[in-house]
Amino acid sequence: MEKFEINENGTLTAYHNDNKDVTEIIIPEGVKFIERHVFSEYGKIYSVVFPDSLENIDRWAFWSCFKYSKAKYRGITFNPSGNSQQIPEVIDMIASKNYSHSLEHFLKYPVIFQIYFNDGDDVTTAYIKKNFRKFFIFLVHAVIYQDYSYKDYISVETALEIMEKLIKSGKFISKRNIKTYIKIADEKECHEIFDMLIEYKEEVLK
């Protein structure tokens, strides 16, 4: 039997489950905060769905969990990369669009892409535009280094799909900078993205 103990302030104070090997958790709507060590006894948890009502979480709430992991919050899926202490920063980044958190780029960037495609808000658009070279190189690496750590955070197919959408949006690649990005793709021997850029240059940026 599964039981969530939630106080009048919306704080999840304890979790009980007769199955100590539980792997997937769906936290009830209405929970605003999750206290320290609530799920620490359930070390095989690898998947959790957070409610939209969640505002914050203690960084030790899932201590010992998420060996191989995925989490979902407000329609955004992310991989805590085996480190549950990063979850509060990701939650805040999604909820407030605060992109100042020092997260590893292979965790941070896929989340930002999802926020951008879900919301298309000015804050996220401006952030991607300001840092587009970094995002571009990240996606190139996600394609050419597909057998390394990137594969746990973003697939080659997803990276190519994101790149195509970013290019075709017309917000980030222009006549002024396209040669720079073509050169990067060429030097990295990322043929798929190189071909996208050449096509965009010839058909759109005439």
Side-chain angles (χ1 to χ4, degrees), residues 109-121 124-140 142-143 154 157-175 177-178 181 193 196-197 200-201 204-205:
Y109 289 2
V111 170
I112 292 174
F113 289 136
Q114 290 179 75
I115 294 172
Y116 171 71
F117 290 122
N118 284 0
D119 300 341
D121 62 283
T124 309
T125 301
Y127 184 82
I128 293 176
K129 194 168 186 177
K130 180 180 179 181
N131 299 278
F132 188 73
R133 185 184 179 95
K134 294 178 181 178
F135 284 108
F136 182 88
I137 292 173
F138 168 79
L139 290 170
V140 168
V143 174
I154 183 170
E157 293 76 18
T158 299
L160 290 172
E161 181 181 353
I162 290 171
M163 182 65 82
E164 184 176 23
K165 288 180 179 178
L166 293 175
I167 292 171
K168 290 184 175 180
S169 72
K171 297 179 180 178
F172 310 104
I173 301 287
S174 65
K175 287 183 179 180
N177 64 19
I178 191 167
Y181 294 113
I193 292 176
M196 285 183 196
L197 292 168
Y200 184 71
K201 180 183 178 182
V204 180
L205 300 179

Side-chain angles (χ1 to χ4, degrees), residues 105-106 138 141-142 145-146 148-155:
H105 60 275
F106 46 77
F138 168 79
H141 286 175
Y145 300 137
Q146 55 187 286
Y148 295 88
S149 60
Y150 288 91
K151 65 183 175 62
D152 294 326
Y153 303 92
I154 183 170
S155 69

Side-chain angles (χ1 to χ4, degrees), residues 5-139:
E5 293 188 14
I6 307 166
N7 68 21
E8 66 278 5
N9 297 318
T11 297
L12 178 58
T13 59
Y15 173 78
H16 307 282
N17 197 319
D18 294 338
N19 178 14
K20 295 297 181 180
D21 294 328
V22 61
T23 57
E24 301 181 16
I25 301 288
I26 299 176
I27 298 173
E29 192 64 42
V31 170
K32 296 180 179 180
F33 180 74
I34 303 175
E35 286 189 346
R36 174 174 294 212
H37 296 311
V38 167
F39 295 99
S40 296
E41 294 181 17
Y42 303 89
K44 293 189 177 181
I45 293 174
Y46 71 84
S47 174
V48 60
V49 177
F50 295 106
D52 290 354
S53 57
L54 188 68
E55 297 173 356
N56 206 345
I57 174 176
D58 186 280
R59 65 178 56 252
W60 301 103
F62 285 91
W63 176 246
S64 82
C65 304
F66 289 107
K67 297 296 187 296
Y68 301 95
S69 55
K70 62 179 180 178
K72 188 172 184 179
Y73 174 61
R74 298 191 180 182
I76 306 295
T77 301
F78 61 95
N79 182 343
S81 64
N83 183 357
S84 60
Q85 296 177 58
Q86 299 182 103
I87 295 176
E89 284 77 10
V90 178
I91 293 295
D92 182 65
M93 187 168 68
I94 295 170
S96 65
K97 297 182 174 64
N98 174 12
Y99 302 127
S100 64
H101 293 293
S102 297
L103 296 165
E104 295 184 71
H105 60 275
F106 46 77
L107 169 60
K108 184 175 183 177
Y109 289 2
V111 170
I112 292 174
F113 289 136
Q114 290 179 75
I115 294 172
Y116 171 71
F117 290 122
N118 284 0
D119 300 341
D121 62 283
D122 292 341
V123 172
T124 309
T125 301
Y127 184 82
I128 293 176
K129 194 168 186 177
K130 180 180 179 181
N131 299 278
F132 188 73
R133 185 184 179 95
K134 294 178 181 178
F135 284 108
F136 182 88
I137 292 173
F138 168 79
L139 290 170

